[in-house]
Amino acid sequence: PSAWCDADVFDMLPAMERATAERQHRALDLAVRSTSTDSLRFEAGPGCGKTFAVLRALSQCTFESPTPLLVVATCTTLGMAKDMRTSVRQLGAAPRIKVFTVARLFMLRDTDTYGRQGAIRYYSQCIAPFGSAEPGGCPPMQYADVYNLVTHGSTLVVDEASQLEWQFFEFLDELCRFARRKDLRREMLPFCGLRVLVLGNLSQLPTMRTGAD
């Protein structure tokens, strides 16, 4: 409980809130102690603080890490991004955890497609130019954040993931493999070693679909 609030304040919380804080503390402890290859699953009802608990764990990790960690949190709407940024500021982690909507981070165009071919096209047009040594080359700076994430980011948080199609995660996995293909130690790991934390309730919100889909 001391990880969430002062001991005196914790003692004043109603019993239900104390129980919730204790469960969050246990989840926080497990998340912080896990390794990059661990798969963890936490279940809780709506409004129980799942996202806040994960952000708190990541905030603690970034404080304790001997090397800088690039942590990116994404959500699907501008309102959700605003609320998440507020939580990050409350944790004092704003310089270390960046928050975007999925659309703002990846800036996918109407002509972009998922799958391996879509990842190849996106990588060649949006990511590869950053590593180009051609004189006078000018990488598309609007993709700088996603370039940093897929090349050397440590963690991606996807909140309310049920609003995204599963093909998005296939696309992300392929994109990370192109961007990190020289890292032979992690090539067999999902997303080539990028830790992806998926939050949401698949029965709470339907997948967003467009057109004939």
Side-chain angles (χ1 to χ4, degrees):
S2 60
W4 299 96
C5 55
D6 294 335
D8 293 341
V9 176
F10 179 78
D11 291 338
M12 296 172 60
L13 292 174
M16 181 65 71
E17 292 186 20
R18 285 204 303 272
T20 299
E22 289 174 350
R23 289 194 293 269
Q24 288 178 332
H25 180 73
R26 289 196 296 270
L28 168 64
D29 186 63
L30 284 172
V32 169
R33 294 174 185 274
S34 67
T35 68
S36 60
T37 57
D38 286 338
S39 294
L40 303 177
R41 176 176 177 176
F42 299 109
E43 295 185 1
C48 288
K50 296 184 295 295
T51 301
F52 186 82
V54 167
L55 293 176
R56 185 61 183 260
L58 291 174
S59 175
Q60 184 168 328
C61 287
T62 58
F63 272 120
E64 297 178 352
S65 174
T67 58
L69 297 178
L70 174 58
V71 177
V72 174
T74 61
C75 43
T76 52
T77 68
L78 292 173
M80 291 165 59
K82 181 179 179 180
D83 292 341
M84 190 180 291
R85 289 192 187 100
T86 299
S87 296
V88 169
R89 284 197 298 269
Q90 290 173 347
L91 293 170
R96 299 178 305 282
I97 301 179
K98 295 186 175 183
V99 179
F100 303 92
T101 62
V102 173
R104 164 62 183 81
L105 176 62
F106 289 91
M107 300 189 69
L108 293 171
R109 299 155 299 187
D110 292 340
T111 55
D112 290 325
T113 57
Y114 291 144
R116 181 176 177 81
Q117 293 303 316
I120 292 174
R121 185 161 46 250
Y122 186 93
Y123 176 80
S124 63
Q125 296 176 358
C126 307
I127 305 299
F130 284 91
S132 175
E134 295 181 5
C138 183
M141 296 309 296
Q142 66 268 34
Y143 297 101
D145 291 309
V146 70
Y147 164 78
N148 290 330
L149 173 68
V150 299
T151 54
H152 58 268
S154 64
T155 306
L156 172 67
V157 179
V158 183
D159 198 18
E160 298 297 354
S162 61
Q163 295 191 34
L164 295 172
E165 297 173 327
W166 65 266
Q167 290 93 338
F168 167 79
F169 296 98
E170 183 182 60
F171 166 83
L172 177 62
D173 181 72
E174 293 285 358
L175 190 60
C176 289
R177 294 190 183 284
F178 289 123
R180 304 183 180 208
R181 59 187 181 277
K182 295 181 180 179
D183 191 348
L184 300 179
R185 298 171 302 169
R186 299 185 177 184
E187 63 178 350
M188 299 304 295
L189 297 175
F191 307 102
C192 209
L194 174 68
R195 176 180 287 188
V196 179
L197 306 181
V198 179
L199 310 178
N201 184 344
L202 294 179
S203 62
Q204 182 178 350
L205 293 169
T207 300
M208 295 177 64
R209 297 185 181 277
T210 59
D213 293 339

